[in-house]
Amino acid sequence: MSLRSARKLDSSTLEKIAADMSNLIENLDTSELHYDGEEVDSDVITDPKTSGACIPFSAIYNTKGFKEPDLHSYLAGCPIKVRVLEVERFASSSSSKTAVLNIYTIELTHGEFTWQVKRKFKHFQDLHRELLRYKAFIRIPIPTRSHTVRRQTVRSGDVRSMPNLPRNAEIVREEQASSRRKQLEDYLSALLKMPLYRNYHATREFIDVNQLSFIHDLGPKGIEGMIMKRSGGHRIPGLNCCGQGSVCYRWSKRWLVVKDSFLLYMKPDTGAISFVLLVDKEFCIKIGKKETETQYGLRIDNLSRSLILKCNSYRHARWWGQAIEEFVRKHGTNFLTEHRFGSFAAVQENTLCKWYVNAKGYFNDVADAMEAAKEEIFITDWWLSPEIFLKRPVVEGNRWRLDCVLKRKAQQGVKIFVMLYKEVELALGINSEYSKRTLMRIHPNIKVMRHPDHMSSSVYLWAHHEKIVVIDQSVAFVGGIDLAYGRWDDDEHRLTDVGSVKRIVAAQSTTGINTALSGSMQALNGEDKSNRKTTFQVQDKKGEEVVDSSKIRGLGKSKKFAKFSLYKQLHKHNLQHADSVSSIDSQSRMYSIISYQKQCVQVIKHPW
């Protein structure tokens, strides 16, 4: 069958051909696969510190499956240097005989990152065999689009042959260890210069590299690798399943990443980050079946969880435990002890700080910081109102309304995360569900979580009271004020927050203000004393409707205005753009405006 005729086949037939080809490759004799060429060399000498090559922090939001062909894990234009530091000999017992095997400690350097891996010669053989299969698979013209693109990419560079792996037996005498160490060092160095093999998932796994390894803002690179993780172990109510017995446990294959202040594990098939375990004062590591209830088990504890891992052998578990503990104690010492006032964080000297007394300056600076965000915005609030205006008086339309600011930044690619207190609705009316629904509809880059879930966690008499805004993990507003109605204030300390009402159209604002002032002046001067009623012109979709102010005050029996909202009424009078009623002309301090404000205060009980 020619390639041209194969392309005319339907998709099911092509998939069957591809599956048959894959099965054929698995059974190939690797001794016959020493082809010439097809490898691309990249002899680069660029220093990433001078060239500015780096992986942005935002890459953590674009993780992919570990076997994806277009996965970018390395620093651009930066070589990987290899050194085999030492050879550790140990006795391996089997049913027939006892052999002395070698474990090679390999140090790798990539840009500013340096790390170590331990491998046996058997691991080199497995990698070489896997790469030979991959090489042969690339050479076969399978009639699929993805495979064709991959083959064209491979052919775009120079061609070299794959380096040869020493064929000697795994068991090497002590006097031969030095030469074997040099051979393996040369083999791995040559292999990592060829993008075809360096970017293959088996090679990345061999040198403990994934797409999060070389992100500068995540800190230095620690030990990584594939492990088996046991479910459960959470100390937070509601996160575990129905029981703690072994019947509820399940084992999952995950990629573990160790950093200076946290550990995380990822799903290999999707690249999703499943869980993050922080380093804190209770962080400790225990090894052994007695501590883990698992053979070759490793337990990692902190204040929130006991994470159980399963390794291939006791030696493997001990290597993982020692490597994690040494790395954390070297780079994350500040998080292992308790600090002043029981804080998890150490005291930082010479830190730039700014104090806030009123919310006017606070809201204004929060708005400017959000506008300057490049990667992330974190918000935690007890109460959040999406329609709140952060800058007042409102002179630029809806530009500085909170939901508009977040929408603008989300459209620019900034990731926004909001955590709200999930109230008991019978006790509080802050309506966090509305805030979540409103923000989530704005843009997919905005994620909102309400916490806690009272039913599953059985937590009722507890609430989030953190008011925190963090921008790009570099600027933080802590111990602050809810971004909600009733929080805006300045030196005048007004009793109302009418400037935070929803602004739709700025037109006819002057007419609405004059109408309100006219009504206030008439009431103040005693005009129309027989009726003592002031009427407001309320604009609706059907036209103009005259509403009796006595019913607005609750004096009538009409249920239509039983729940009076100052914000809705001001919106109907086109006063929604104002900072507050008294800020329309704060310099002249018109008596009629102050009178109107006092009338509102007498009639309205503010929501907060």
Side-chain angles (χ1 to χ4, degrees):
M1 180 184 296
S2 64
L3 180 60
R4 179 176 300 178
S5 59
R7 288 176 178 170
K8 297 180 180 179
L9 298 175
D10 56 5
S11 59
S12 60
T13 306
L14 293 178
E15 292 176 358
K16 183 178 179 181
I17 294 175
D20 294 340
M21 290 292 185
S22 300
N23 295 332
L24 176 62
I25 295 302
E26 293 294 331
N27 299 322
L28 285 176
D29 184 3
T30 58
S31 62
E32 301 177 359
L33 296 180
H34 291 280
Y35 296 111
D36 294 328
E38 289 286 34
E39 284 75 43
V40 181
D41 184 22
S42 179
D43 293 325
V44 288
I45 57 176
T46 306
D47 186 357
K49 296 181 181 179
T50 58
S51 64
C54 64
I55 301 177
F57 182 80
S58 57
I60 66 173
Y61 303 115
N62 302 314
T63 55
K64 301 179 181 179
F66 284 19
K67 294 186 178 181
E68 293 293 330
D70 58 343
L71 195 65
H72 299 287
S73 301
Y74 304 100
L75 300 175
C78 184
I80 302 177
K81 301 178 182 179
V82 180
R83 290 177 56 205
V84 180
L85 299 181
E86 60 181 5
V87 182
E88 179 184 353
R89 301 173 65 86
F90 72 98
S92 177
S93 301
S94 61
S95 58
S96 58
K97 60 180 180 179
T98 301
V100 179
L101 304 179
N102 298 326
I103 293 183
Y104 300 91
T105 301
I106 307 169
E107 182 185 80
L108 300 105
T109 303
H110 186 49
E112 62 179 312
F113 301 92
T114 300
W115 71 103
Q116 293 182 1
V117 298
K118 287 183 179 288
R119 296 291 182 263
K120 294 186 291 187
F121 184 72
K122 177 180 179 296
H123 299 142
F124 281 90
Q125 290 177 317
D126 294 340
L127 173 64
H128 191 72
R129 188 178 299 110
E130 178 71 18
L131 293 178
L132 288 173
R133 288 183 181 141
Y134 175 63
K135 176 182 178 179
F137 182 73
I138 287 294
R139 293 177 64 90
I140 299 176
I142 300 176
T144 60
R145 176 175 297 179
S146 59
H147 189 76
T148 302
V149 172
R150 184 181 303 173
R151 295 181 74 242
Q152 292 174 350
T153 304
V154 170
R155 293 175 179 176
S156 61
D158 298 332
V159 176
R160 286 190 180 182
S161 60
M162 184 175 176
N164 293 324
L165 182 69
R167 295 183 178 272
N168 297 338
E170 183 176 359
I171 303 174
V172 179
R173 294 193 299 270
E174 188 172 357
E175 56 271 16
Q176 298 175 334
S178 178
S179 61
R180 171 57 62 87
R181 185 175 64 183
K182 179 61 175 175
Q183 291 173 350
L184 295 179
E185 183 178 303
D186 294 340
Y187 167 79
L188 191 56
S189 297
L191 197 68
L192 293 176
K193 290 180 180 179
M194 304 178 182
L196 173 63
Y197 304 122
R198 182 180 59 201
N199 296 326
Y200 190 54
H201 67 87
T203 306
R204 291 194 297 263
E205 184 174 346
F206 181 85
I207 61 175
D208 287 354
V209 167
N210 81 98
Q211 48 207 310
L212 303 182
S213 299
F214 306 119
I215 299 177
H216 173 79
D217 292 336
L218 286 181
K221 184 183 183 312
I223 185 174
E224 302 180 23
M226 203 71 71
I227 49 90
M228 295 298 295
K229 181 269 309 180
R230 192 173 77 178
S231 63
H234 297 276
R235 304 182 193 276
I236 301 176
L239 294 183
N240 288 310
C241 57
C242 56
Q244 293 289 332
S246 59
V247 68
C248 298
Y249 294 145
R250 66 181 185 277
W251 293 94
S252 304
K253 190 176 182 181
R254 296 290 183 265
W255 182 269
L256 184 66
V257 178
V258 179
K259 292 294 183 179
D260 54 354
S261 60
F262 64 91
L263 287 75
L264 63 85
Y265 54 79
M266 309 168 64
K267 295 181 179 179
D269 53 344
T270 63
I273 299 174
S274 301
F275 185 80
V276 178
L277 187 142
L278 299 178
V279 175
D280 54 37
K281 62 182 180 180
E282 297 294 330
F283 184 86
C284 65
I285 297 175
K286 298 179 180 179
I287 304 173
K289 188 173 182 179
K290 181 179 179 180
E291 302 290 346
T292 63
E293 301 178 354
T294 303
Q295 189 175 15
Y296 311 138
L298 175 69
R299 193 176 89 186
I300 306 175
D301 294 335
N302 76 341
L303 287 172
S304 62
R305 187 178 183 182
S306 290
L307 179 62
I308 306 294
L309 309 177
K310 182 165 61 176
C311 302
N312 299 327
S313 63
Y314 177 78
R315 182 181 297 273
H316 189 206
R318 190 178 66 178
W319 156 249
W320 268 96
Q322 291 177 350
I324 295 174
E325 189 167 7
E326 291 176 1
F327 183 83
V328 170
R329 292 194 179 277
K330 179 180 179 181
H331 299 283
T333 307
N334 287 338
F335 300 98
L336 296 174
T337 57
E338 187 173 303
H339 302 281
R340 187 181 62 177
F341 307 131
S343 173
F344 70 92
V347 177
Q348 302 294 328
E349 301 290 344
N350 300 321
T351 302
L352 296 177
C353 297
K354 180 178 180 180
W355 295 93
Y356 295 96
V357 177
N358 299 318
K360 178 179 181 179
Y362 176 79
F363 279 15
N364 187 81
D365 288 354
V366 166
D368 290 337
M370 288 184 179
E371 190 66 24
K374 302 297 183 183
E375 294 177 342
E376 292 177 332
I377 297 176
F378 289 94
I379 301 174
T380 64
D381 269 338
W382 181 81
W383 183 20
L384 184 143
S385 304
E387 297 85 5
I388 194 75
F389 280 94
L390 299 178
K391 288 192 175 186
R392 310 180 193 181
V394 181
V395 295
E396 299 181 73
N398 292 333
R399 175 176 175 80
W400 296 111
R401 206 174 73 179
L402 178 59
D403 55 349
C404 296
V405 175
L406 297 181
K407 179 180 180 180
R408 183 163 61 250
K409 301 310 295 184
Q411 291 174 342
Q412 295 174 7
V414 176
K415 302 293 183 178
I416 301 169
F417 303 92
V418 182
M419 184 177 71
L420 302 176
Y421 168 56
K422 186 176 182 180
E423 77 282 4
V424 179
E425 295 183 1
L426 295 178
L428 291 172
I430 58 179
N431 202 355
S432 61
E433 182 180 0
Y434 164 78
S435 300
K436 177 180 179 179
R437 185 172 60 250
T438 302
L439 294 177
M440 293 282 284
R441 288 176 178 175
I442 294 177
H443 197 276
N445 281 345
I446 301 178
K447 308 295 182 183
V448 183
M449 178 183 73
R450 296 194 300 159
H451 186 266
D453 192 346
H454 303 285
M455 297 303 295
S456 63
S457 61
S458 301
V459 175
Y460 298 99
L461 301 178
W462 178 86
H464 277 291
H465 276 281
E466 302 90 348
K467 289 87 171 176
I468 301 174
V469 179
V470 181
I471 309 297
D472 291 340
Q473 299 197 23
S474 59
V475 178
F477 300 84
V478 296
I481 306 171
D482 283 317
L483 303 179
Y485 291 133
R487 270 55 176 177
W488 191 93
D489 195 10
D490 60 7
D491 295 339
E492 297 184 12
H493 305 300
R494 304 176 182 88
L495 297 180
T496 57
D497 187 15
V498 296
S500 61
V501 296
K502 190 173 182 180
R503 174 184 174 86
I504 302 299
V505 182
Q508 299 179 352
S509 59
T510 305
T511 303
I513 294 173
N514 293 334
T515 304
L517 297 180
S518 176
S520 301
M521 292 296 294
Q522 291 176 6
L524 182 66
N525 298 329
E527 296 181 8
D528 195 11
K529 293 183 179 180
S530 59
N531 295 326
R532 298 294 293 177
K533 294 182 180 179
T534 304
T535 58
F536 302 107
Q537 296 297 325
V538 180
Q539 186 75 23
D540 61 3
K541 296 181 179 178
K542 297 180 181 180
E544 294 188 354
E545 178 184 355
V546 178
V547 181
D548 194 339
S549 63
S550 63
K551 293 185 179 180
I552 294 180
R553 292 171 180 160
L555 300 179
K557 297 182 180 180
S558 174
K559 295 182 179 180
K560 181 177 181 181
F561 300 100
K563 294 184 178 180
F564 176 78
S565 173
L566 177 62
Y567 312 113
K568 293 181 180 179
Q569 293 301 319
L570 291 174
H571 170 61
K572 293 179 180 179
H573 295 296
N574 294 320
L575 293 175
Q576 63 273 14
H577 70 290
D579 185 352
S580 66
V581 175
S582 61
S583 67
I584 299 174
D585 189 0
S586 58
Q587 295 180 353
S588 61
R589 309 206 177 260
M590 297 173 62
Y591 182 76
S592 60
I593 302 176
I594 300 175
S595 301
Y596 180 74
Q597 180 185 6
K598 290 181 178 179
Q599 292 180 27
C600 295
V601 174
Q602 293 175 0
V603 181
I604 312 302
K605 183 179 179 181
H606 203 276
W608 71 84

